[in-house]
Amino acid sequence: MNIRRWSVGVLAATLLVPGLTACKSDDPAPTAAGSAASAVPADPKEALLASTKEIEKGNFTFTLAGAGLTGKGLVHKPSNSAQFSMKFDDESGGMSMGMELIYIEPESWVMLDLGELGAMIPGAEKWKGKYQHLDQSKVKGAGELSRYMEEVDPAGSAKLTKGITEVQKTAEGSYTGKLDVSAAGDAATLDADLVKALGAQAKALPFTAKLDAEGRLTELVISVPGAGETKAHDIKVTYADYGSATAAQKPPADKVVEASPETYEMFKK
């Protein structure tokens, strides 16, 4: 696995959630946390499939973790905005990098911390510690940087739950089972190369899930066995603040520079 391509690609893919651009200001208001909700389906699989419906409304906070990656962010469709930060630590090579992206329609800004890799990119010192303002016309042609232009959920949980092959309810709001992720390699939480390396194992990955009292997904943990260069690990996604996330804020003007050509180039395949 190409660590540089994988880490930067995953960072980019999970950060860009401009599916928000399709949202109009007169969209129905998201269901507020604590408001009445329909009954949670009794069938465990149906309950999990239904648990991602609230995510589609685009008003929540979330966290991601797995294989050296940690991240958190918010999606706020009412204001057509999103914000996300992620850090990657390669324990084997001691390499680390980070990324933060702010999206407020129609603009976006990215701050990159490429660690040792930054020394290999000409001009990187100029935007160290700065938010690079992205030219949207260039983002569209920047490979991974535009991969999820139509996605509202950065973690792709709806895609993942569709791969459930078996599931049992273990307690109120708690489930366990197995997922077939062989057809979900485009979900942001899974690297396509890793899915390929898993081979037949990708068809039966153990998972646990938790739903709140209204049947909304609050936690999804997928256990991934070792494959190729990747050690066994858990991928964990959490969701909170349904219907009550806050809008993303523009970065301070004195910390903004225009994105360099190298920034767009590094995201191309």
Side-chain angles (χ1 to χ4, degrees), residues 18 45 74 107 115 264:
K45 184 173 182 178
L74 65 89
E107 299 182 279
Y264 301 107

Side-chain angles (χ1 to χ4, degrees), residues 16-82:
L16 283 170
V17 284
L20 300 170
T21 59
C23 173
K24 304 299 182 184
S25 59
D26 58 352
D27 279 352
T31 302
S35 64
S38 57
V40 179
D43 179 78
K45 184 173 182 178
E46 290 303 317
L48 289 178
L49 290 174
S51 73
T52 63
K53 296 296 184 182
E54 192 72 17
I55 296 173
E56 296 173 6
K57 295 181 180 180
N59 193 336
F60 56 86
T61 60
F62 64 96
T63 67
L64 292 169
L69 285 168
T70 55
K72 62 181 180 179
L74 65 89
V75 175
H76 192 251
K77 200 170 182 178
S79 63
N80 293 335
S81 69

Side-chain angles (χ1 to χ4, degrees), residues 47-164:
L48 289 178
L49 290 174
S51 73
T52 63
K53 296 296 184 182
E54 192 72 17
I55 296 173
E56 296 173 6
K57 295 181 180 180
N59 193 336
F60 56 86
T61 60
F62 64 96
T63 67
L64 292 169
L69 285 168
T70 55
K72 62 181 180 179
L74 65 89
V75 175
H76 192 251
K77 200 170 182 178
S79 63
N80 293 335
S81 69
Q83 187 168 355
F84 189 72
S85 61
M86 181 173 273
K87 185 177 180 181
F88 169 74
D89 289 299
D90 178 17
E91 296 180 359
S92 61
M95 180 181 67
S96 65
M97 62 181 69
M99 182 174 182
E100 179 182 359
L101 187 135
I102 299 172
Y103 178 85
I104 304 174
E105 187 183 4
E107 299 182 279
S108 57
W109 302 260
V110 63
M111 179 185 284
L112 297 171
D113 177 5
L114 300 181
E116 295 179 3
L117 287 177
M120 305 176 190
I121 301 175
E125 281 297 320
K126 295 180 181 179
W127 41 263
K128 186 175 182 179
K130 299 286 187 179
Y131 289 90
Q132 297 185 68
H133 180 252
L134 297 167
D135 181 334
Q136 298 306 303
S137 66
K138 294 180 180 178
V139 166
K140 294 177 181 179
E144 289 286 356
L145 203 57
S146 61
R147 183 181 174 198
Y148 284 86
M149 292 298 284
E150 299 302 324
E151 297 292 330
V152 172
D153 177 17
S157 293
K159 292 181 180 179
L160 294 170
T161 54
K162 288 178 181 178
I164 293 173

Side-chain angles (χ1 to χ4, degrees), residues 208-223:
T208 61
K210 294 181 180 180
L211 312 186
D212 65 13
E214 296 183 42
R216 302 171 298 193
L217 184 67
T218 58
E219 179 182 289
L220 177 63
V221 180
I222 304 172
S223 297

